[in-house]
Amino acid sequence: MSKLRDKTHIVLFVLVAAFLALIVFEWGMNFTGPTRKAGVAGKVNGESISMNEYEALYNNIVAGFRQSNPGVEITSGLDAKFREQAWNYVVDQTLLAQLLKKYGITVTDQEVLDAVNNPVNPPAIIRQNFTDPRTGKIDRQLLEQARSDPKAKDFWLNAQEAIKRELMVNKLVMTLRTMVFVTDPELTEVVQRQFTTFAGSFIPFPYSYAGAETNFPVKDDEIKAWYDSHKEQFREEPVRSAEFVFFPLTPSRQDSLQVKKEIDGLIPQFAAAKSDSEFVKIQSDLPNSANVTLSRADFSPAAGQALFSSPKLVPGQIVGPIADEGYYRLLKIKSVTTGEPVASASHILIRLNPADKAEAARAMGLLKKISEELKGGASFASLAAKYSEDPGSARNGGFVGWFTKDRMVPQFAQAVFAGKPGQIVGPVQTQFGLHIIKIEGFDNRRIVCSEVARQIKASTQTSETIKRQAQAFLTEAKSKGFEAAAKAQRLEVGKTGDFTRQSLLAVPGMGEAITGFAFKAKDSDISDVLDAEKGFVVAKLLTQNDTGYHQLDAQLKEMIKTELVREKQGAALKSKLVALSKSSGGSLDAIAAKDPSLRKITSKEIRWRDGYIDGYGVDPQLVEGMAGMKLNTLSQPVQTSGGYALVQLTSRQLAPGTDLAAEKQKVLPQLMQARQQQFLSEYLQSYRRNAKIEDFR
């Protein structure tokens, strides 16, 4: 029942996606089936989806994005996302049509007319187009005018089909909901769960009480048998894995000089501009940078030093262009003010898991060694480079740059902003570990300015040069082998890990290119030079799995082995506790007296609804096991979150004043709705999962 409550938020994705595709993306399309046969994008249970239909949806998604996000560049990543959305919409729509046919669901013209005239709950398209914003109600006069207007004929034809589909979806939902019911025992259990508390005593036994994990060896055939019997847990979409070499589009020095030349040429125009906001909007790659307030924390350390030490840092002057992390920035100063200070600092990070005694001892020993070397005159920067476990800052002598209080974790920021320049503080513990911090300085200056920023991008010539490098690698990879070619050219080979068609690879900017190749390739195929978002990539397919199940690889074997060890340990623990219970005469006190490591816990408040045990903590699994126990009798071993327990309950009662019958009537509608949503979601997901979906794109 707890799982039932947890799933009430699940969206009925098939119905929603299909309805959105209908209402938002398909105006003017043929709702009854595929359009012209200009190629097949795929099939769903043998039913073809035309390329025209798929492309029309894709084009409408792109058009909607452009309308909502004017000026935003559609990257290859966004384009791949839109194509996947279009594909999922058209697949879901086809599945929905098949479901409607399966259940013989139709809608008459009279039902459409009744829906349009419904004063309480009209169809979505009527609400969207004819609601009076002042009253929130349907403007019936406007609606009747539109219905009688000959110019609105096409609209009403489309609207009629939209309303039919909405009504059919509603009928489908109602049909599926009739398959759901709630029994009286289920209802009683839900109410009792909410209001029942227990009192009693128990002794928890961890799994280790049965012996060390090494005492419970697991054989390979046991792992295989467990996998086969639990195979449905490992169902997954078809997956691929690949290795790749990435050739980033890194701008050349000539590209940088060209951008600087362009922005240098803007200085006279920027100085004379009557409207800085209009000038910035037209000339800057960051068009919202007019009349902004900036601190040193808004720049890289080198750019901030160049700006805040410039003699031109006075109202009316233009500073720059300043190179700053892939941009040239040209700033027109309006005023120089003061505000909350920003700080700069360096740190040495020592990773720490407080629960691991050995790691804590290592960390304390390392801190002591660093402290001694600091006292001996060693520079902070050299020690950071030598000992810090933050590789990003360690390369820069531990320097983390300039920052405001809210850009650092609270403990780190508090230590820095409470100190003085040059002071070394710490160790300071945060979620990342232990920090020794050197406070470098503070600056409370702010500048109010407008700026023109130009991104330094690779030119066409640079792009062609990099692509030729990728092509040269490809040629060698096909003749000598992928790994040998990469080694010969000293190129780094990356691994994708397993991925599906829809999954986002942990490979920024190139995932979509690799995915498109991998799902068309055969074993060990090497791709052509693929265009990625920020460069070029050459990939080699490593593995492919179309079985529908996760393969029994080394990682999964280790996971199953851990589970089997726990099962064996648990079985041994249960047997040990049964024997212990018999030998002690069923007395918790006698059991606890035999072993000083055991602890008897007595609680007067044990809540069924959330698994809370006063004086112990939260353990829903243990409390669930208590629900059906006899009172004043030592239980059989009950599973807990960390082992097993022997329990003796002394009382079980409903909260005083609880009217069980009245509470059941209150809960019934909520429970029915939750059960219906769970059933609908699982039914539709199962229907899609078991459908034969063929993607030919």
Side-chain angles (χ1 to χ4, degrees):
M1 299 306 293
S2 62
K3 288 183 179 178
L4 178 65
R5 289 195 301 274
D6 291 341
K7 290 186 178 182
T8 58
H9 66 286
I10 296 176
V11 177
L12 306 182
F13 72 96
V14 174
L15 297 183
V16 171
F19 185 73
L20 286 176
L22 175 71
I23 297 296
V24 180
F25 298 112
E26 285 203 87
W27 286 114
M29 293 183 64
N30 174 14
F31 294 103
T32 59
T35 56
R36 303 189 313 271
K37 293 276 185 178
V40 177
K43 290 185 177 182
V44 177
N45 294 326
E47 183 177 343
S48 295
I49 297 173
S50 77
M51 189 61 74
N52 278 2
E53 186 176 6
Y54 161 71
E55 289 290 348
L57 275 169
Y58 163 76
N59 290 334
N60 279 315
I61 292 173
V62 172
F65 178 83
R66 291 192 188 280
Q67 186 175 358
S68 303
N69 304 273
V72 176
E73 179 186 0
I74 295 181
T75 63
S76 60
L78 275 176
D79 182 75
K81 179 182 177 182
F82 296 154
R83 290 193 174 278
E84 203 58 40
Q85 283 180 353
W87 173 247
N88 285 327
Y89 283 140
V90 77
V91 167
D92 288 340
Q93 179 189 335
T94 306
L95 288 169
L96 177 59
Q98 292 171 358
L99 272 173
L100 295 173
K101 184 177 181 180
K102 174 182 178 180
Y103 287 100
I105 294 174
T106 59
V107 170
T108 66
D109 291 342
Q110 185 60 47
E111 287 177 300
V112 173
L113 182 61
D114 291 343
V116 172
N117 293 327
N118 188 326
V120 178
N121 187 28
I125 193 168
I126 300 300
R127 293 197 305 271
Q128 291 165 0
N129 289 278
F130 299 102
T131 297
D132 186 335
R134 295 170 298 179
T135 64
K137 298 180 180 179
I138 301 299
D139 186 335
R140 290 290 165 181
Q141 184 177 356
L142 180 63
L143 175 59
E144 291 305 319
Q145 288 175 356
R147 289 170 70 176
S148 60
D149 186 351
K151 296 179 181 178
K153 180 180 178 181
D154 289 340
F155 170 83
W156 283 111
L157 288 173
N158 285 325
Q160 181 179 355
E161 295 299 327
I163 294 168
K164 278 185 178 180
R165 186 59 64 92
E166 182 179 351
L167 293 176
M168 285 193 288
V169 167
N170 290 339
K171 283 188 177 184
L172 175 63
V173 171
M174 293 306 297
T175 299
L176 295 176
R177 281 180 173 173
T178 60
M179 303 178 186
V180 178
F181 57 90
V182 176
T183 65
D184 188 69
E186 288 175 327
L187 191 59
T188 301
E189 181 190 330
V190 170
V191 174
Q192 287 180 335
R193 181 187 297 276
Q194 184 68 21
F195 295 102
T196 299
T197 59
F198 314 126
S201 302
F202 64 94
I203 298 176
F205 297 83
Y207 284 106
S208 58
Y209 197 77
E213 291 183 0
T214 52
N215 296 340
F216 303 94
V218 174
K219 298 178 180 178
D220 286 345
D221 58 348
E222 292 178 288
I223 294 174
K224 180 65 166 59
W226 195 96
Y227 171 80
D228 290 338
S229 62
H230 296 79
K231 202 168 183 179
E232 285 305 307
Q233 294 183 18
F234 308 109
R235 184 181 282 276
E236 65 179 11
E237 298 291 325
V239 296
R240 302 289 187 269
S241 72
E243 60 184 352
F244 62 90
V245 173
F246 182 54
F247 298 84
L249 268 178
T250 305
S252 67
R253 183 173 180 276
Q254 190 61 40
D255 296 332
S256 178
L257 291 174
Q258 180 60 36
V259 175
K260 185 177 183 301
K261 181 179 179 181
E262 291 174 4
I263 206 168
D264 276 336
L266 295 175
I267 293 176
Q269 301 172 46
F270 196 16
K274 294 181 179 180
S275 172
D276 290 345
S277 60
E278 288 299 319
F279 190 86
V280 168
K281 190 180 296 184
I282 294 170
Q283 297 293 349
S284 179
D285 288 341
L286 303 175
N288 297 319
S289 298
N291 300 312
V292 293
T293 301
L294 304 173
S295 72
R296 255 180 119 135
D298 295 305
F299 300 84
S300 64
Q305 175 65 23
L307 173 63
F308 282 86
S309 62
S310 172
K312 293 185 177 181
L313 195 66
V314 293
Q317 291 290 317
I318 291 181
V319 182
I322 297 172
D324 188 5
E325 297 183 339
Y327 285 84
Y328 273 112
R329 303 174 68 171
L330 192 65
L331 300 103
K332 188 175 185 179
I333 310 300
K334 297 293 182 68
S335 63
V336 180
T337 63
T338 58
E340 286 292 318
V342 296
S344 64
S346 301
H347 79 141
I348 300 171
L349 173 66
I350 307 300
R351 302 286 181 185
L352 174 67
N353 177 6
D356 188 328
K357 292 183 179 180
E359 186 176 332
R362 177 198 71 87
M364 297 310 296
L366 190 52
L367 286 172
K368 183 178 179 181
K369 185 175 183 181
I370 293 170
S371 177
E372 290 172 352
E373 292 191 32
L374 280 170
K375 290 177 181 178
S379 73
F380 192 94
S382 66
L383 294 179
K386 183 177 180 181
Y387 294 115
S388 181
E389 293 170 352
D390 173 13
S393 65
R395 291 192 294 268
N396 300 315
F399 189 59
V400 296
W402 290 85
F403 51 89
T404 56
K405 284 183 180 180
D406 59 353
R407 289 192 188 176
M408 292 292 182
V409 291
Q411 303 92 326
F412 191 100
Q414 184 178 356
V416 171
F417 283 91
K420 298 179 180 179
Q423 184 179 357
I424 296 177
V425 296
V428 174
Q429 186 169 342
T430 73
Q431 66 206 59
F432 302 106
L434 297 171
H435 307 256
I436 303 173
I437 306 169
K438 180 181 179 183
I439 303 169
E440 303 288 356
F442 298 97
D443 195 331
N444 66 351
R445 288 176 293 173
R446 297 284 192 280
I447 58 169
V448 180
C449 66
S450 295
E451 73 165 312
V452 173
R454 288 284 179 91
Q455 189 175 5
I456 305 169
K457 298 180 180 180
S459 65
T460 301
Q461 182 178 352
T462 300
S463 176
E464 289 174 352
T465 299
I466 296 170
K467 190 169 186 177
R468 282 195 294 271
Q469 294 171 0
Q471 190 64 52
F473 166 74
L474 172 62
T475 301
E476 193 166 348
K478 287 187 173 181
S479 62
K480 296 182 178 179
F482 197 89
E483 293 77 9
K487 185 176 181 180
Q489 297 187 27
R490 297 182 180 179
L491 297 170
E492 182 180 354
V493 177
K495 307 275 188 185
T496 64
D498 288 346
F499 58 89
T500 67
R501 285 182 183 274
Q502 290 79 35
S503 60
L504 295 174
L505 305 189
V507 190
M510 67 188 90
E512 295 79 15
I514 292 178
T515 301
F517 151 72
F519 278 89
K520 294 178 181 177
K522 296 179 181 179
D523 189 34
S524 299
D525 276 0
I526 297 176
S527 73
D528 293 331
V529 175
L530 305 172
D531 288 333
E533 188 174 328
K534 296 181 179 179
F536 303 98
V537 62
V538 178
K540 176 186 175 184
L541 184 66
L542 291 178
T543 64
Q544 50 188 339
N545 178 11
D546 293 318
T547 65
Y549 298 93
H550 190 90
Q551 291 180 325
L552 188 57
D553 54 21
Q555 185 177 2
L556 184 54
K557 283 182 179 179
E558 192 60 34
M559 188 194 81
I560 294 174
K561 180 181 177 181
T562 300
E563 179 66 25
L564 285 171
V565 168
R566 181 54 52 91
E567 286 182 5
K568 292 185 175 186
Q569 216 174 9
L573 179 58
K574 284 179 68 177
S575 298
K576 189 172 183 177
L577 297 189
V578 169
L580 191 60
S581 177
K582 288 180 179 179
S583 65
S584 63
S587 168
L588 287 176
D589 290 328
I591 293 171
K594 290 182 180 180
D595 190 338
S597 69
L598 300 177
R599 182 167 66 106
K600 176 187 171 185
I601 296 164
T602 300
S603 178
K604 295 181 179 180
E605 184 185 5
I606 303 172
R607 297 199 298 256
W608 192 3
R609 68 178 180 270
D610 57 8
Y612 172 76
I613 303 173
D614 186 41
Y616 180 70
V618 176
D619 194 331
Q621 197 168 15
L622 172 57
V623 177
E624 192 69 33
M626 294 177 178
M629 287 182 184
K630 293 181 180 180
L631 298 181
N632 302 310
T633 302
L634 188 63
S635 72
Q636 292 295 308
V638 179
Q639 193 161 10
T640 71
S641 60
Y644 282 84
L646 294 174
V647 183
Q648 187 169 353
L649 291 186
T650 55
S651 71
R652 180 190 296 110
Q653 63 180 8
L654 287 172
T658 301
D659 185 334
L660 191 61
E663 293 298 335
K664 285 167 67 174
Q665 289 303 309
K666 290 180 185 177
V667 168
L668 180 58
Q670 301 170 23
L671 185 58
M672 179 63 79
Q673 183 180 23
R675 178 68 63 83
Q676 288 172 342
Q677 287 184 340
Q678 178 188 13
F679 174 77
L680 285 168
S681 175
E682 292 178 352
Y683 177 88
L684 295 169
Q685 290 185 53
S686 175
Y687 189 77
R688 194 184 205 282
R689 185 169 58 247
N690 293 317
K692 184 179 180 181
I693 300 173
E694 301 172 88
D695 187 350
F696 303 149
R697 292 174 296 158

